[in-house]
Amino acid sequence: TYTAFMREWQKVIALVNGHSSHWGLLHGGRIMLRDDSAMNLSPEMIDELVLPYDGRLLKAFGGGGIHFCGRGDHYAESMSGLAGLHAVNLSQPDYNDMETIFAHTVDKGINLIGLQRWSAEEALSRGRSLRGRVHCD
């Protein structure tokens, strides 16, 4: 159902050279997946019940991004292995071990978009390189 909807939706929206926007943030690929409830699942459940479907959607739509609310550091490593994942948008860095998030996003060439500025500034103050891959609100 989601794939059918997205195919119809993309007939009427503007895409820019294989990019799309979500909440006004431009990212590679044509889809932003919303894994808002993933914080309630174990990493094993996410690997089995979420990521295979996210992977299929990323492949079908030329890549994209994943958004999650709350904690996501527990599945960041698995998520970062998805082909076509260009960006991650998380809403609550204070619920995450951000070093784990950075290691499985910016260190692997995946952009963090819409990150709260205080979180990026805190990392930079510790000498943490963000590799030019973080966009702050």
Side-chain angles (χ1 to χ4, degrees), residues 28-79:
R30 300 182 322 210
I31 194 168
M32 175 63 76
L33 301 172
R34 304 285 306 236
D35 288 347
D36 289 325
S37 298
M39 69 177 141
N40 298 309
L41 303 174
S42 70
E44 296 79 19
M45 291 177 76
I46 292 168
D47 287 349
E48 179 183 348
L49 303 171
V50 177
L51 296 182
Y53 300 98
D54 284 359
R56 284 180 21 197
L57 288 164
L58 289 169
K59 183 177 181 180
F61 293 99
I66 293 179
H67 164 85
F68 61 87
C69 290
R71 185 173 166 248
D73 55 2
H74 63 298
Y75 73 99
E77 183 174 5
S78 293
M79 176 181 57

Side-chain angles (χ1 to χ4, degrees), residues 10 13-21 25-31 61-62:
Q10 291 183 355
I13 64 164
L15 297 173
V16 180
N17 298 327
H19 292 75
S20 60
S21 66
L25 302 170
L26 187 68
H27 63 84
R30 300 182 322 210
I31 194 168
F61 293 99

